[in-house]
Structures are given as C-alpha cells and as structure tokens.
Amino acid sequence: MGITFKGVAHPPPRADGKRNHAADLSRAEISSCKMGRNGGTDLLVEHEPGSQVGKVLASWEGPGGELRVQGVVRDESAVASVMSGNMRGLSLGTGVTYGAQGNVRLRNQDELSLCAEPRRGGCYIEEIDGKRVRTSHNFSNPGGCQRLEPCR
C-alpha cells in the first residue's frame, strides 16, 4: 500500500544571500534541484542509513522560493507514524563537497528524511493523498498591534 505526500524540504533562502550553514541552499540551487530523477531520491527515517521507507518522486521551487517535494511512503510503520502526526517533519540530507582551499565546490541532495521535528523551520508534510494536513498562519505584530483583526 502506501501514501503519497507533498511538503517543504527546504525553506526559502535568506534574502541577503548568506547561509546559516554550508548545507543551506541558495535560490539558484533550489530552482535547479532535481530530486526524484533516476528512479527517485531515497526517503529515510531520521537520516538513518538503511532505513529507506519510500521515495521522493519530484521537486520544484515553490511560490515563496522554498524547495517543495512530492513523494511516496511505502513502509507500513512509517505510514502509521505519518498518519498519526508523530512524524511529519522533513529533513533534507545535503552532501557538501569542499575544494582543497576549504571552499564549497558542490551541494547535492543525498536523501530526504521523515522526522519528528525538522531543524529547518517550516519543513513539513502539508498534504497526504491529496488532502491538506497542515497549514501555516503567521501573525506579525506591526506597530505594536496586539489584535487578530486588521490593525489601523
């Protein structure tokens, strides 16, 4: 059996072009990412080698600059964890290759993992079998407004 899912694997890059970590992706890297090629990218549990529970079938740049993915979870235990809500986080496993002077030469997506809580903000499964299972609502506090209705 199994389930299909869609979600966010990497948030939009920083607006200033800097990275918080060497494995963080730029806008160009997100837009050119090709997860799912050659039979799919491995879907693991918490980055554990040998814990493959499915495949990432496709990736694309979302409307906010985030890296979005579509995949399938086939392992029954992993399906149960996703369906219960215990494991809906997504964590991108990025391989970073360095040059002789310590500069980054290449970043590639080795795998995507299901996890309980992602380290990067906003990286969650949002849709299961075509049904929305997560939405995000952000309420800022511009000008000191404390209400949920429009501030004037």
Side-chain angles (χ1 to χ4, degrees), residues 52-108:
Q52 184 178 343
V53 295
K55 291 282 187 180
V56 176
L57 305 174
S59 66
W60 64 97
E61 182 179 3
E66 72 279 12
L67 176 62
R68 302 193 62 77
V69 293
Q70 177 179 4
V72 61
V73 182
R74 293 191 179 101
D75 178 85
E76 289 183 33
S77 176
V79 167
S81 290
V82 170
M83 294 303 288
S84 71
N86 289 332
M87 199 166 40
R88 289 195 183 161
L90 294 173
S91 183
L92 187 60
T94 302
V96 181
T97 304
Y98 296 90
Q101 285 74 39
N103 55 323
V104 174
R105 304 283 295 168
L106 177 68
R107 288 176 190 82
N108 60 299

Side-chain angles (χ1 to χ4, degrees), residues 19-25 29 94-96 98 104 106-107 120:
R19 302 172 199 257
N20 295 329
H21 188 276
D24 287 350
L25 303 179
E29 290 163 333
T94 302
V96 181
Y98 296 90
V104 174
L106 177 68
R107 288 176 190 82
R120 290 184 174 111

